[in-house]
């Protein structure tokens, strides 16, 4: 007779026994569990946020896979990709290159939970999360492989994280740190609760909606299929936070505040330009800021309130940065376009500019004048002046360009000396993150540090591009060959 799930689930999910050949502390060292100072019994209170058996899991995942496989076949037969707007193609290049290996790192993180998490229930459900992440990494590779014949940029799905491309270094810096090199408890707070539960909605829900609008049905389906898994396994952050709040609320506050800022800065670079500049105007559903407010800010505030935590001390700075930071990053990334493996869309034709000013009332004051200069140069054929000759200063924490977290009038570079070395930061908040655990970050050399140290040769932009692995077939240029700038020619019939 087959038992009902409820008859056996309680025993199966709580599988733990007393070790007799090794000490418990040796099998579950604090360095891996992160349980420093939290008594072992405390983890009995760790309640599963969802219940699933292997049989249920496989049945549901099989359905999802069948759905994705159907879309993949349709995508191969139709000419969806060839007909895709070039600036939206850039979104898919950026997404594949930037996220495929994050999925793979998540496999390793969840594998570590499955072995070292301090609660048997947590270890049990992490196995399912790990299987989720294997699926995600493999789906990205599969879709990219299908599309490789149209564009060698899809090669970067696999290649990007093995290169020194600067934007990838910024992402890798976060993921190496919080996914691969952090104990289970801190990782669950930073990755499950903050990065996945909050921010991946931006990439997977918001971009999926935009992708559907932009006609890339395959990409949209892929993103949605992945997000259903994320929404489930991200839940394991909550019971972890609940236990930690009883024993070390200060640590919970610190880990959440550091990871929220770092996640936000990354999504400003990755998702902000994709939503507000690359996605064709008539296909945009909401602005980056609107999505952030609805999907991330409200939710994060609610979580903090529910668990008795405070808003991060830098909340006002965060809200100001939400208004400006991704515009600064977009302008910088477009200007340094040879250092990208996708073709950024400038997204500042007259009609697009009206949309930007409508969504961000201070956009014109801050960024219009800089774009006007670029437009003048493009329209007068002075292309060399629209291209970089040097590198921007980079933050030693976020690895992002300094001067990209606020508006044009507040370009700040914050410094701090630590053991005889000067460190540079894009903001007081990034400096504060560094100061929480200086040794965690201190040994790292960012791209500019390496350049100055003579580790990149020849020591010029061509040497840098070579070092980043950027070959001419993938190197970034304007997505639509500068056609938007013609809008501003004196005799132009403005489309808007
Ligand atoms: Mn995933
Ligand atoms: Mn995940």
């Amino acid at each position: 007779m087959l038992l009902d799930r409820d008859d056996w689930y309680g025993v199966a999910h709580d599988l733990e026994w007393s070790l007799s050949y090794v000490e418990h502390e040796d099998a579950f060292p604090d360095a891996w569990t992160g349980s420093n100072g939290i008594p072992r019994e405390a983890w009995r209170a760790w309640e599963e946020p969802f219940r699933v058996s292997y049989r249920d899991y496989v049945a549901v995942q099989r359905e999802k896979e069948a759905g994705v496989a159907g879309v993949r076949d349709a995508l191969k037969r139709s000419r969806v990709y060839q007909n895709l707007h070039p600036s939206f193609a850039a979104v898919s290049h950026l997404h594949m290159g930037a996220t495929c290996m994050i999925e793979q790192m998540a496999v390793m993180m969840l594998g570590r939970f499955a072995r070292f998490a301090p609660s048997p229930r947590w270890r049990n459900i992490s196995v399912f999360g790990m299987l989720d992440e294997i699926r995600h990494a493999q789906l990205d590779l599969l879709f990219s492989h299908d599309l490789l014949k149209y564009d060698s940029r899809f090669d970067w799905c696999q290649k990007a994280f093995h290169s020194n491309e600067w934007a990838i270094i910024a992402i890798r810096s976060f993921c190496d740190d919080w996914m691969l090199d952090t104990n289970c408890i801190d990782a669950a707070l930073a990755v499950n609760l903050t990065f996945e539960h909050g921010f991946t909605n931006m990439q997977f829900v918001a971009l999926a909606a935009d992708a559907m609008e932009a006609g890339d049905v395959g990409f949209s389906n892929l993103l949605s299929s992945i997000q259903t898994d994320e929404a489930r396994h991200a839940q394991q952050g909550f019971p972890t936070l609940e236990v930690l709040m009883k024993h070390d609320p200060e640590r919970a506050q610190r880990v959440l505040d550091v990871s929220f800022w770092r996640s936000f800065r990354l999504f400003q670079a990755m998702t902000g330009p994709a939503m507000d500049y690359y996605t064709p105007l008539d296909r945009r559903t909401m602005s980056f800021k609107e999505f952030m407010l609805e999907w991330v800010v409200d939710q994060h505030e609610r979580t903090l309130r529910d668990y008795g935590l405070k808003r991060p001390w830098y909340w006002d700075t965060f809200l100001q940065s939400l208004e400006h930071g991704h515009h600064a990053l977009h302008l910088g990334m477009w200007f340094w376009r040879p250092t990208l493996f996708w073709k950024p869309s400038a997204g500042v034709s007259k009609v697009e500019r009206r949309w930007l000013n409508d969504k961000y009332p201070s956009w014109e004051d801050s960024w219009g004048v800089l774009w006007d200069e670029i437009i003048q140069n493009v329209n007068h054929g002075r292309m060399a002046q629209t291209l970089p000759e040097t590198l921007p200063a980079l933050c030693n924490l976020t690895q992002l360009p300094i001067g990209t977290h606020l508006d044009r009038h507040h370009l700040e570079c914050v410094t701090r000396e630590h053991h005889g070395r000067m460190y540079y930061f894009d903001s007081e908040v990034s400096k504060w993150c560094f100061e929480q655990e200086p040794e965690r970050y201190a040994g790292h050399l960012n791209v500019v540090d390496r350049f100055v140290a003579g580790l990149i040769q020849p020591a010029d932009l061509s040497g840098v591009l070579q070092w980043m692995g950027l070959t001419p077939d993938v190197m970034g240029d304007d997505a639509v060959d500068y056609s938007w700038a013609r809008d501003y020619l004196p005799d132009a019939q403005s489309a808007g």
Side-chain angles (χ1 to χ4, degrees):
M1 192 190 85
L2 209 54
L3 291 172
D4 285 337
R5 188 181 73 175
D6 287 346
D7 296 333
W8 54 263
Y9 191 83
V11 178
H13 80 151
D14 227 351
L15 197 60
E16 185 151 61
W17 59 90
S18 304
L19 305 174
S20 53
Y21 293 100
V22 290
E23 295 299 321
H24 185 86
E25 295 67 41
D26 293 333
F28 294 92
D30 275 355
W32 285 105
T33 63
S35 209
N36 327 30
I38 303 172
R40 225 174 117 186
E41 312 78 64
W43 294 102
R44 292 210 191 102
W46 199 94
E47 280 302 332
E48 281 165 302
F50 57 88
R51 286 161 73 87
V52 66
S53 71
Y54 185 70
R55 196 194 318 162
D56 301 336
Y57 177 83
V58 171
V60 171
Q61 297 304 92
R62 190 193 168 282
E63 291 295 309
K64 290 187 198 170
E65 282 291 274
V68 176
V71 174
R72 183 186 166 214
D73 282 345
L75 192 65
K76 282 205 271 191
R77 284 194 305 273
S78 69
R79 297 177 55 81
V80 170
Y81 184 76
Q82 294 96 308
N83 296 329
L84 196 61
H85 192 286
S87 60
F88 204 77
V91 177
S92 54
H93 300 147
L94 169 57
H95 176 87
M96 292 303 188
T99 62
C100 179
M101 288 299 149
I102 301 182
E103 307 282 17
Q104 188 61 33
M105 288 184 183
V107 175
M108 288 183 257
M109 180 187 79
L110 284 151
R112 207 167 61 247
F113 291 0
R115 167 62 183 82
F116 289 108
S119 144
R121 295 172 206 162
W122 182 359
R123 295 197 290 274
N124 186 49
I125 64 167
S126 290
V127 175
F128 299 110
M130 187 171 66
L131 293 171
D132 288 344
E133 303 293 13
I134 292 173
R135 188 174 90 91
H136 304 167
Q138 294 299 314
L139 278 176
D140 282 355
L141 289 169
L142 190 67
F143 272 68
S144 292
H145 186 262
D146 286 343
L147 294 168
L148 192 53
K149 59 178 175 284
Y150 303 117
D151 197 324
S152 49
R153 289 182 176 88
F154 285 107
D155 203 18
W156 279 64
C157 178
Q158 199 273 342
K159 177 179 171 177
F161 273 64
H162 305 285
S163 79
N164 286 315
E165 200 276 337
W166 69 270
I168 295 297
I169 289 181
I171 300 169
R172 205 164 61 203
S173 158
F174 176 88
C175 296
D176 279 359
D177 187 9
W178 288 101
M179 291 178 143
L180 299 187
D181 197 30
T182 297
N183 62 70
C184 298
I185 295 167
D186 289 352
L189 263 49
V191 179
N192 297 139
L193 204 147
T194 308
F195 189 84
E196 286 179 340
H197 183 71
F199 286 91
T200 59
N201 279 318
M202 298 288 298
Q203 190 74 8
F204 290 99
V205 179
L207 265 190
D210 285 353
M212 188 68 95
E213 285 288 308
D216 190 356
V217 181
F219 188 52
S220 163
N221 185 282
L222 171 71
L223 296 178
S224 312
S225 181
I226 290 175
Q227 183 58 20
T228 57
D229 293 346
E230 295 298 336
R232 172 163 36 75
H233 67 234
Q235 304 285 329
Q236 55 193 309
F238 293 107
T240 310
L241 177 58
E242 191 151 337
V243 173
L244 190 59
M245 284 307 290
K246 292 204 185 87
H247 296 273
D248 197 349
E250 272 174 37
R251 174 176 161 198
Q253 183 86 50
R254 172 171 50 78
V255 171
L256 289 173
D257 290 355
V258 171
S259 58
F260 184 82
W261 178 254
R262 293 206 63 190
S263 302
F264 172 57
R265 291 291 285 149
L266 280 186
F267 279 80
Q268 277 186 310
M270 268 171 61
T271 321
M275 290 181 68
D276 283 357
Y277 293 90
Y278 301 179
T279 298
L281 185 59
D282 56 344
R283 308 296 180 192
R284 288 179 205 162
T285 45
M286 275 193 228
S287 69
F288 175 70
K289 182 176 80 178
E290 287 163 343
F291 259 113
M292 275 290 300
L293 288 171
E294 185 171 328
W295 286 86
V296 180
V297 177
D298 280 0
Q299 187 167 272
H300 194 70
E301 283 190 297
R302 201 179 324 124
T303 302
L304 295 173
R305 208 171 39 236
D306 288 353
Y307 285 85
L309 289 159
K310 297 188 289 283
R311 280 176 178 165
W313 63 270
Y314 55 74
W315 199 248
D316 290 344
T317 307
F318 159 69
L319 289 175
Q320 284 166 21
S321 188
L322 183 56
E323 193 74 30
H324 300 289
H326 69 293
H327 301 302
L329 279 160
H330 170 64
L331 179 63
M333 284 157 76
W334 187 89
F335 185 72
W336 267 275
R337 55 203 178 284
T339 68
L340 309 176
F341 59 89
W342 66 94
K343 290 173 86 171
S345 167
V348 289
S349 67
K350 284 188 176 171
V351 57
E352 288 167 320
R353 203 157 158 164
R354 273 202 292 280
W355 183 88
L356 286 163
N357 277 306
D358 185 38
K359 298 290 182 187
Y360 304 91
S362 57
W363 187 92
E364 195 63 45
D365 170 57
S366 223
W367 313 111
V369 50
L370 299 176
W371 279 108
D372 281 338
E373 179 110 4
I374 290 172
I375 290 163
Q376 285 292 318
N377 286 329
V378 169
N379 283 337
H380 287 91
R382 299 189 294 257
M383 294 311 288
Q385 292 183 39
T386 73
L387 285 160
E389 287 175 4
T390 54
L391 292 172
L394 295 175
C395 174
N396 282 117
L397 183 95
T398 64
Q399 316 292 317
L400 295 173
I402 286 172
T404 59
H405 89 296
L406 285 180
D407 63 290
R408 180 169 62 89
H409 309 295
H410 294 87
L411 300 177
E412 58 177 348
C413 176
V414 186
T415 59
R416 183 190 196 281
E417 203 183 300
H418 178 72
H419 291 327
R421 177 178 161 192
M422 190 62 87
Y423 291 85
Y424 300 88
F425 301 100
D426 58 15
S427 57
E428 289 289 348
V429 188
S430 294
K431 179 177 145 190
W432 174 82
C433 294
F434 179 93
E435 285 170 340
Q436 300 312 299
E437 293 167 282
E439 293 314 319
R440 188 173 185 137
Y441 312 101
H444 186 262
L445 295 179
N446 70 24
V447 174
V448 174
D449 297 331
R450 293 182 216 193
F451 187 79
V452 172
L455 299 174
I456 303 172
Q457 296 292 339
D460 54 23
L461 195 65
S462 78
V464 170
L465 295 175
Q466 204 181 351
W467 180 76
M468 289 184 182
L470 290 156
T471 45
D473 56 326
V474 301
M475 198 175 285
D477 196 357
D478 186 74
V480 291
D481 204 17
Y482 309 92
S483 56
W484 52 272
R486 288 200 285 275
D487 233 8
Y488 296 87
L489 287 170
D491 54 351
Q493 299 285 313
S494 174

